């Protein structure tokens, strides 16, 4: 395996954990901001990113047969960026 492929694969593995790492510190702040909300519901904020990763892994095989890896990678990164920007915009609106 080429070194660039290894670096790409390793960086993508790290990117998938960013959602959980970025949401985890916000749980305490969300609990304080929404005192009437069940604490378990607030903890789902951290769990949601992991739940969306699982179906994506099942789809990855089919996508890999139809599209080249670079197209899939770029589309995934764009969706990730749009999701992050959307989440931060929603947080600012509330």
């Amino acid at each position: 395996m080429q070194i660039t492929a290894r670096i790409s694969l390793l960086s993508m593995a790290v990117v998938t954990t960013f959602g959980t790492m970025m949401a985890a510190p916000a749980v305490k702040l969300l609990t304080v901001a929404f005192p009437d909300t069940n604490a378990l519901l607030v903890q789902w904020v951290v769990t949601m990113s992991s739940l969306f990763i699982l179906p994506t892994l099942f789809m990855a095989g089919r996508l890999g047969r139809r599209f080249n890896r670079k197209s899939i990678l770029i589309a995934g990164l764009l969706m990730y960026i749009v999701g992050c920007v959307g989440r931060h915009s929603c947080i600012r609106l509330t």
Side-chain angles (χ1 to χ4, degrees):
M1 184 181 272
Q2 294 178 345
I3 189 73
T4 56
R6 288 182 184 176
I7 292 171
S8 299
L9 185 61
L10 194 57
S11 65
M12 290 313 302
V14 170
V15 167
T16 58
T17 61
F18 280 165
T20 306
M21 290 186 327
M22 294 189 67
V27 172
K28 181 68 174 171
L29 297 173
L30 288 171
T31 306
V32 172
F34 301 100
D36 297 333
T37 306
N38 187 0
L40 184 62
L41 185 63
V42 174
Q43 291 175 355
W44 269 93
V45 170
V46 177
T47 307
M48 277 309 221
S49 62
S50 300
L51 290 177
F52 283 103
I53 291 172
L54 184 62
T56 306
L57 290 175
F58 290 124
M59 293 174 15
R62 289 188 180 179
L63 288 174
R65 283 184 231 123
R66 290 189 179 187
F67 304 103
N68 63 8
R69 293 177 185 168
K70 186 176 180 179
S71 299
I72 295 170
L73 180 64
I74 290 171
L77 287 174
L78 287 175
M79 286 189 281
Y80 186 80
I81 290 169
V82 167
C84 289
V85 169
R87 179 176 65 181
H88 290 293
S89 298
C90 290
I91 290 173
R92 289 183 184 163
L93 292 175
T94 56

